[in-house]
Amino acid sequence: MNYFPDEVIEHVFDFVTSHKDRNAISLVCKSWYKIERYSRQKVFIGNCYAINPERLLRRFPCLKSLTLKGKPHFADFNLVPHEWGGFVLPWIEALARSRVGLEELRLKRMVVTDESLELLSRSFVNFKSLVLVSCEGFTTDGLASIAANCRHLRDLDLQENEIDDHRGQWLSCFPDTCTTLVTLNFACLEGETNLVALERLVARSPNLKSLKLNRAVPLDALARLMVCAPQIVDLGVGSYENDPDSESYMKLKAAVKKCTSLRSLSGFLEAAPHCLSAFHPICHNLTSLNLSYAAEIHGSHLIKLIQHCKKLQRLWILDSIGDKGLEVVASTCKELQELRVFPSDLLGGGNTAVTEEGLVAISAGCPKLHSILYFCQQMTNAALVTVAKNCPNFIRFRLCILEPNKPDHVTSQPLDEGFGAIVKACKSLRRLSLSGLLTDQVFLYIGMYANQLEMLSIAFAGDTDKGMLYVLNGCKKMKKLEIRDSPFGDTALLADVSKYETMRSLWMSSCEVTLSGCKKLAQKAPWLNVEIINENDNNRMEENGHEGRQKVDKLYLYRTVVGTRMDAPPFVWIL
Amino acid sequence: MEKEGLGLEITELRLGLPGRDVAEKMMMKKRAFTEMNMTSSGSNSDQCESGVVSSGGDVEKVNDSPAAKSQVVGWPPVCSYRRKNSCKEASTTKVGLGYVKVSMDGVPYLRKMDLGSSQGYDDLAFALDKLFGFRGIGVALKDGDNCEYVTIYEDKDGDWMLAGDVPWGMFIESCKRLRIMKRSDASGFGLQPRGVDE
């Protein structure tokens, strides 16, 4: 079979970097499996409970980079209690014990403690890169350990984490000898920042490419920082309030002009809109713009800025931009690939929100668009059909109509036909989120046409179990299915148990599945962890006389090779 | 289609005005909605956990209420980090309509009041009186010269202005916070009693 020596094959494998491809390679034959596992440096684990660190290390002893994901996606929306799980400490302990040469750790939705950060910082001499996304459980003391002990730290990237800010001096914990920083993102920290320590750190980091500041870094400090780091590529502005005639603002304008490598801009928490013009000179270079936290910037200032951004590929904004604003985006940003429009008013319908018109305009004006997340007030089937025609290249399509169950606002029909058009036209669609009034019909379309679909999010949709069955039977590549408040029950859940072996996980909350249905499933599929999350009742489910037929509030099931996890809290019942 | 004859009101999750047990209705609606549409799923739908089956007949089409909307957990699907940060923006730096901080000299704590709920300066005077339980403020706004206190506000540009000069609409657009100051602290600043220059 193999006409080449192992070293040659290994060298060939070095060019194969995607996880999917490497996984495929390892399945070809025993010899390739062996070569692949010893040469694999980067491992991605989509569900930290699908495997344990010991088995991971047995298979990949030369591991350098590990990505771990913990809580299910709906945890973002407060549907999963904080103590559910996803603890990283056992992983770090095991990695430390095995003396593997860990250089990079990327975590998403995991519980990280100061203890684990301290252990991490002390256990791996060559540790270079820490990326934490939507994690919680740690404080700035943990960051201080990382700063102090990781001699070769390159990336410290904290995205949207809940960090207890002890207002300590973690930034001053970076030794003077630390000059290797490439990424420093602490935008999610709430507290005061030692500006002097920050400036010194930036000044001695010639390789710094990405700097994202928190709220506590004011305009004058920003100006000084930009002067120290004109090579910056990705900038997250902290607080941006100031008098546009002030000296700091003048300094900032001058500094911005020198940042000719700047390609990505974000932040602007508490922004004074009239100061945005300082950035106009570099807008023509921007490929990424995130103004989704800049609630203060309205209409005309936003549009003025965007009109300069002709090369924009990624845009995240608030719906206060309005349909008219989106029309400007459509006519200006011809290179746009990804758009996210977030709701600015989470409580009620706003007047400046966007509608189907904005979406249609974008689809018509931006031929390269492949990813969209769109929160809006209303939608029509006609608009979705048009969007599908204009943009058949969608990979990710997430539409959230703010009011649950809202029909087509012109015809009062369900939105089945509109979403049907999207899945039919977009043959590469991998991720889809539905909203609005939807019947089983939309799921029939999804099952028939969404051949590449890997992740589907359903809320307040469907009529009967048929809906869920269409999806389970039709979508061969389904990996993550998450459903809330929809009338799918045991029949759909139990129809094809082997399907779940091909999927990473299934989430169902406020649906019609019963305890007996879940128990049956757990019996038929011992290689699944079937978790019932019942915060309110604890063990009441079992004691109650109606046991079998009681509806399960939250069900989360996932395939695993290591059986029931030992760290589940009392309100999680693993069948 | 199972929906014929039922009317869309039953299948839509509509929100009533506060004070109409909206939260309960929302929860009931989740089950009720599914029960209306359950045909051959095989599950025993009368064992509804909430114990109530809404007939759906009294579901009313009312305007969406912000208070009620926020009671559906996790909806709209905006991640909690983003929720926290957008709410913060609204409460601390939002100009005009909405809650503004009100401080009063001699009172060790501040209050917050909703400017949007007042219709004019008279209303505002009354509301301020209520906040601090002191009649004087209302008088200050109306009469000006006879009162121990002066009502000032911080505008969008960060300047402190005397309340009452500009039309109400303009005032609420630009008011960021209010301060009830002792007139004695403002002496020497040329504060004319109202009416002198008109």
Side-chain angles (χ1 to χ4, degrees):
Chain A
M1 268 292 264
N2 288 320
Y3 302 116
F4 301 116
D6 287 0
E7 299 81 48
V8 175
I9 297 181
E10 190 183 313
H11 185 62
V12 173
F13 288 177
D14 280 347
F15 293 98
V16 181
T17 49
S18 102
H19 301 292
K20 279 188 187 158
D21 290 342
R22 290 208 71 125
N23 290 344
I25 284 177
S26 65
L27 294 173
V28 168
C29 63
K30 277 198 184 140
S31 163
W32 281 28
Y33 178 87
K34 187 169 148 237
I35 298 169
E36 198 281 319
R37 64 181 268 248
Y38 282 109
S39 62
R40 177 101 69 131
Q41 293 189 343
K42 285 190 179 174
V43 178
F44 169 85
I45 295 176
N47 175 5
C48 65
Y49 290 120
I51 190 163
N52 64 26
E54 289 73 30
R55 283 186 65 151
L56 170 72
L57 290 165
R58 264 208 302 276
R59 182 168 170 193
F60 301 116
C62 302
L63 185 61
K64 286 214 170 84
S65 161
L66 178 62
T67 302
L68 276 173
K69 289 190 177 181
K71 298 183 193 177
H73 175 234
F74 275 179
D76 284 351
F77 316 131
N78 294 328
L79 288 175
V80 177
H82 279 277
E83 307 76 31
W84 172 84
F87 308 106
V88 79
L89 184 60
W91 289 84
I92 298 180
E93 281 171 340
L95 290 164
R97 272 195 303 270
S98 73
R99 296 170 191 261
V100 76
L102 192 70
E103 291 182 13
E104 180 179 70
L105 186 62
R106 308 170 73 96
L107 305 176
K108 187 167 185 179
R109 283 189 216 102
M110 294 204 67
V111 176
V112 179
T113 57
D114 288 345
E115 187 193 348
S116 33
L117 289 175
E118 161 103 36
L119 183 61
L120 178 69
S121 73
R122 291 193 188 284
S123 310
F124 309 104
V125 174
N126 285 324
F127 192 75
K128 291 192 173 72
S129 178
L130 181 63
V131 180
L132 302 176
V133 181
S134 301
C135 295
E136 56 174 355
F138 60 107
T139 77
T140 44
D141 295 347
L143 296 180
S145 325
I146 298 287
N149 303 327
C150 301
R151 299 284 163 87
H152 306 289
L153 195 67
R154 208 181 47 200
D155 308 308
L156 180 59
D157 191 355
L158 308 168
Q159 300 175 30
E160 304 195 345
N161 301 291
E162 301 217 2
I163 307 174
D164 204 356
D165 197 330
H166 287 173
R167 279 143 233 260
Q169 297 299 317
W170 71 278
L171 273 171
S172 11
C173 292
F174 281 100
D176 289 337
T177 48
C178 174
T179 57
T180 46
L181 274 180
V182 173
T183 303
L184 180 62
N185 173 5
F186 59 95
C188 58
L189 280 179
E190 297 290 301
E192 303 283 305
T193 295
N194 182 337
L195 296 174
V196 172
L198 175 62
E199 282 173 43
R200 283 214 201 110
L201 180 61
V202 169
R204 67 175 183 277
S205 305
N207 298 325
L208 192 68
K209 294 279 186 298
S210 172
L211 178 63
K212 291 186 178 161
L213 309 167
N214 74 342
R215 213 179 273 272
V217 180
L219 203 93
D220 52 336
L222 173 67
R224 288 195 296 274
L225 287 166
M226 290 180 81
V227 168
C228 290
Q231 77 281 6
I232 207 91
V233 173
D234 177 14
L235 178 67
V237 171
S239 187
Y240 201 59
E241 276 186 324
N242 211 321
D243 180 356
D245 293 325
S246 73
E247 203 186 315
S248 336
Y249 181 69
M250 292 304 156
K251 283 198 182 134
L252 179 71
K253 275 171 83 168
V256 168
K257 285 210 185 94
K258 295 222 177 85
C259 295
T260 52
S261 306
L262 195 55
R263 296 287 174 274
S264 168
L265 206 53
S266 60
F268 295 96
L269 322 159
E270 296 168 32
H274 39 268
C275 293
L276 275 186
S277 50
F279 286 94
H280 287 178
I282 48 90
C283 281
H284 62 276
N285 286 332
L286 286 182
T287 55
S288 170
L289 183 60
N290 180 356
L291 295 172
S292 62
Y293 288 104
E296 301 302 302
I297 304 179
H298 295 300
S300 59
H301 296 287
L302 203 55
I303 290 171
K304 255 190 231 152
L305 185 75
I306 289 176
Q307 273 170 333
H308 289 87
C309 302
K310 298 206 192 309
K311 288 211 195 129
L312 217 55
Q313 292 172 16
R314 195 168 89 136
L315 176 63
W316 291 22
I317 34 162
L318 290 171
D319 63 3
S320 47
I321 192 175
D323 286 333
K324 289 280 172 277
L326 288 177
E327 279 165 31
V328 174
V329 173
S331 59
T332 310
C333 308
K334 295 301 180 189
E335 302 295 313
L336 198 66
Q337 296 176 21
E338 180 188 329
L339 174 67
R340 295 196 191 188
V341 181
F342 293 96
S344 48
D345 182 0
L346 288 169
L347 296 176
N351 295 326
T352 49
V354 296
T355 70
E356 74 276 15
E357 290 179 18
L359 184 61
V360 170
I362 290 286
S363 71
C366 305
K368 299 193 181 174
L369 194 66
H370 59 60
S371 292
I372 189 156
L373 170 61
Y374 196 77
F375 284 84
C376 60
Q377 292 293 325
Q378 61 192 38
M379 190 49 57
T380 64
N381 283 308
L384 287 173
V385 168
T386 308
V387 168
K389 220 178 349 186
N390 292 339
C391 284
N393 299 321
F394 275 121
I395 300 175
R396 290 170 210 98
F397 189 86
R398 295 196 277 163
L399 182 68
C400 180
I401 302 163
L402 291 165
E403 192 189 315
N405 280 313
K406 190 159 182 183
D408 178 321
H409 74 93
V410 168
T411 65
S412 298
Q413 291 298 301
L415 289 170
D416 301 334
E417 298 305 312
F419 279 105
I422 294 282
V423 293
K424 201 168 170 188
C426 303
K427 308 215 189 296
S428 319
L429 196 68
R430 292 205 304 255
R431 183 169 180 182
L432 178 65
S433 295
L434 307 169
S435 59
L437 182 66
L438 295 164
T439 71
D440 286 346
Q441 185 68 15
V442 73
F443 299 111
L444 174 63
Y445 289 140
I446 291 172
M448 276 173 71
Y449 297 113
N451 301 319
Q452 302 299 316
L453 197 64
E454 294 177 4
M455 183 168 176
L456 179 61
S457 308
I458 302 169
F460 305 103
D463 306 316
T464 72
D465 279 341
K466 279 199 208 136
M468 186 168 163
L469 284 169
Y470 291 141
V471 171
L472 290 174
N473 293 334
C475 299
K476 301 293 174 205
K477 300 241 177 124
M478 185 60 65
K479 286 207 164 31
K480 287 189 283 188
L481 182 57
E482 47 185 27
I483 307 172
R484 65 167 290 182
D485 295 276
S486 299
F488 306 134
D490 297 340
T491 307
L493 183 70
L494 294 166
D496 179 11
V497 168
S498 62
K499 173 74 178 172
Y500 305 125
E501 200 177 357
T502 65
M503 288 169 54
R504 186 187 299 171
S505 64
L506 169 67
W507 169 280
M508 292 180 77
S509 59
S510 305
C511 295
E512 298 294 311
V513 290
T514 68
L515 182 56
S516 66
C518 294
K519 281 187 171 171
K520 263 191 219 139
L521 177 62
Q523 262 175 348
K524 284 189 182 183
W527 34 266
L528 276 184
N529 271 356
V530 179
E531 297 193 5
I532 312 284
I533 300 166
N534 226 345
E535 285 164 282
N536 306 316
D537 302 336
N538 272 342
N539 292 317
R540 219 178 60 174
M541 286 207 93
E542 198 154 14
E543 289 152 21
N544 196 314
H546 291 294
E547 192 207 295
R549 286 163 295 171
Q550 244 194 341
K551 289 197 186 137
V552 160
D553 195 36
K554 290 173 187 164
L555 162 68
Y556 181 52
L557 61 88
Y558 50 89
R559 66 183 174 192
T560 177
V561 294
V562 291
T564 308
R565 61 183 175 113
M566 292 301 145
D567 60 1
F571 56 79
V572 172
W573 187 12
I574 305 181
L575 297 173
Chain B
M1 284 284 285
E2 300 95 72
K3 291 228 179 55
E4 274 171 21
L6 284 182
L8 279 173
E9 302 95 80
I10 289 170
T11 57
E12 280 181 5
L13 283 174
R14 282 298 191 163
L15 304 169
L17 295 169
R20 277 171 177 267
D21 295 326
V22 178
E24 204 187 38
K25 257 211 170 89
M26 273 306 279
M27 294 305 128
M28 278 159 46
K29 261 181 227 145
K30 269 199 300 222
R31 298 291 185 207
F33 161 81
T34 59
E35 279 152 40
M36 286 300 139
N37 292 294
M38 202 62 76
T39 49
S40 56
S41 68
S43 68
N44 200 338
S45 55
D46 44 345
Q47 231 87 53
C48 178
E49 214 153 280
S50 67
V52 181
V53 177
S54 158
S55 65
D58 52 8
V59 173
E60 293 172 47
K61 277 192 189 180
V62 211
N63 289 331
D64 297 332
S65 148
K69 210 160 221 161
S70 61
Q71 300 198 26
V72 181
V73 176
W75 193 267
V78 171
C79 76
S80 43
Y81 174 84
R82 187 172 284 280
R83 259 181 208 276
K84 285 199 189 117
N85 282 278
S86 52
C87 284
K88 198 178 292 187
E89 309 285 277
S91 65
T92 56
T93 56
K94 191 170 178 175
V95 170
L97 297 168
Y99 283 88
V100 296
K101 288 187 186 173
V102 187
S103 62
M104 178 166 176
D105 285 4
V107 179
Y109 52 86
L110 277 63
R111 299 298 302 271
K112 267 235 169 119
M113 72 170 286
D114 182 5
L115 278 186
S117 64
S118 298
Q119 313 304 327
Y121 285 113
D122 284 347
D123 248 9
L124 177 65
F126 181 67
L128 287 174
D129 272 354
K130 267 174 64 181
L131 262 191
F132 292 105
F134 185 69
R135 293 238 110 238
I137 308 161
V139 175
L141 260 180
K142 286 190 210 167
D143 297 343
D145 39 353
N146 296 327
C147 178
E148 199 192 336
Y149 288 89
V150 168
T151 307
I152 59 176
Y153 68 97
E154 186 186 14
D155 75 353
K156 274 196 279 212
D157 300 322
D159 299 320
W160 285 94
M161 318 283 290
L162 184 68
D165 284 341
V166 299
W168 175 252
M170 207 185 286
F171 165 72
I172 56 171
E173 286 275 87
S174 53
C175 174
K176 262 171 69 171
R177 58 188 295 172
L178 280 161
R179 181 178 161 197
I180 298 156
M181 200 170 99
K182 280 210 168 81
R183 184 173 283 277
S184 49
D185 288 345
S187 67
F189 282 89
L191 270 173
Q192 300 292 330
R194 199 162 298 133
V196 167
D197 290 338
E198 280 164 12

